[in-house]
Amino acid sequence: MRINTRPLAIAAAAAAIAITARANADVKYTTEMKVGGGAGRPGGGISVTHYYKGANERTETHIKFGPMDMTLVTLTLCAKEQTYTLDPNLKIYKVAPVGAPALAAQSFRGMRGGAGAQSGQMTGKSDTTFTVQDLGQETVANLPCTHSKLTIHSVTSGCLGDADRTSTIEVWSAPGTLPSGCPARFMPSRDVTTPTGCKMTYTLHGDIDKMKALMGGIITRMIVTGPNGQQMTQQLTDISRDPLDDALFTIPADYKELPAADYDSQEQKAMMDRIMKLRGGGPGGPPPAP
């Protein structure tokens, strides 16, 4: 059975999904975020397709701005407590611990050379507090949802970089509509070594149980508010309960594993090559305009 968010077609079936969803049922759903272009800049959008089968997850992120068109894939294999980031074009992938350590690794990657991330400092801490505010019950895309405001306060130090960040996300979640997630994602405390070699201790505080319930449902709408008040909105566009192929949750045999730094370097080079090609520069083309 496949459900699309079109008038009359979705109402009864979507309600049935929300009521009768089984804990081990396969789920596929897509959300889209539209981004408007400014003067001289093409508009575009980001679509994210989520696949759930048992405790395993797959996310395909498709980014399109003007002629720029790319897709990245993330696999979360709960039995291994690992997250794999794949580039289908380069046929490479990298590995990170599941859940909060993976987020911390991303933060560290963006802060190399910053305060607290000096050479030789290979231990760090990440302390994150979740606050979930219940804003009531609403219907989005004809699914009964819990409307919540999620505040994430994260403090990092050591080889993760010294930072104190707070972000706010407004979430509409259809509770109980996804298979069981990875328990490791919300462990209150854990010691791990990130792919960058940072030996870190992370701790989670606050409304952890509410977070589990929130993320245990299909996210029908999400509004992310940036530090300057700018907002990005994701909206559910498609849901399916059709059985999913196990191959979606495996790494193709012809993909090569790389250390995180090498993967990031190849990703950045490929991105620059695409940009140069689109601007008419690079090998075989004229240089970009100054």
Side-chain angles (χ1 to χ4, degrees), residues 36 55 61 69 94 146 161-162 164 166 175 249-250 264 266:
T61 303
D69 194 334
K94 64 178 179 179
T146 298
D162 294 332
D164 188 326
T166 299
F249 305 92
T250 61
D264 294 343
Q266 290 202 24

Side-chain angles (χ1 to χ4, degrees), residues 140-177:
V140 178
N142 290 303
L143 285 172
C145 295
T146 298
H147 181 194
S148 303
K149 178 181 178 182
L150 169 63
T151 302
I152 305 172
H153 179 215
S154 179
V155 179
T156 59
S157 61
C159 57
L160 295 173
D162 294 332
D164 188 326
R165 303 182 183 88
T166 299
S167 59
T168 301
I169 304 174
E170 200 170 352
V171 179
W172 287 258
S173 172
T177 51

Side-chain angles (χ1 to χ4, degrees), residues 75-182:
L75 300 181
T76 301
L77 306 184
C78 294
K80 296 183 178 181
E81 296 188 0
Q82 299 286 351
T83 295
Y84 302 81
T85 304
L86 292 72
D87 187 311
N89 292 323
L90 300 177
K91 294 188 176 182
I92 58 175
Y93 69 96
K94 64 178 179 179
V95 186
V98 73
L103 296 176
Q106 288 293 101
S107 299
F108 172 59
R109 185 184 71 174
M111 297 184 62
R112 282 195 292 250
Q118 295 88 355
S119 176
Q121 190 171 5
M122 296 309 296
T123 60
K125 293 182 179 180
S126 172
D127 193 279
T128 303
T129 300
F130 299 109
T131 303
V132 179
Q133 179 184 358
D134 186 1
L135 300 179
Q137 301 297 308
E138 298 182 27
T139 298
V140 178
N142 290 303
L143 285 172
C145 295
T146 298
H147 181 194
S148 303
K149 178 181 178 182
L150 169 63
T151 302
I152 305 172
H153 179 215
S154 179
V155 179
T156 59
S157 61
C159 57
L160 295 173
D162 294 332
D164 188 326
R165 303 182 183 88
T166 299
S167 59
T168 301
I169 304 174
E170 200 170 352
V171 179
W172 287 258
S173 172
T177 51
L178 293 180
S180 57
C182 296

Side-chain angles (χ1 to χ4, degrees), residues 35-58:
V35 180
R41 296 182 178 180
I46 300 173
S47 67
V48 183
T49 301
H50 306 264
Y51 304 79
Y52 293 86
K53 189 179 186 68
N56 293 327
E57 305 172 16
R58 176 187 178 99

Side-chain angles (χ1 to χ4, degrees), residues 197-214:
C198 175
K199 297 179 181 179
M200 63 165 287
T201 297
Y202 87 85
T203 54
L204 304 182
H205 306 277
D207 298 330
I208 299 177
D209 289 340
K210 290 184 178 180
M211 265 290 293
K212 289 180 182 179
L214 191 66

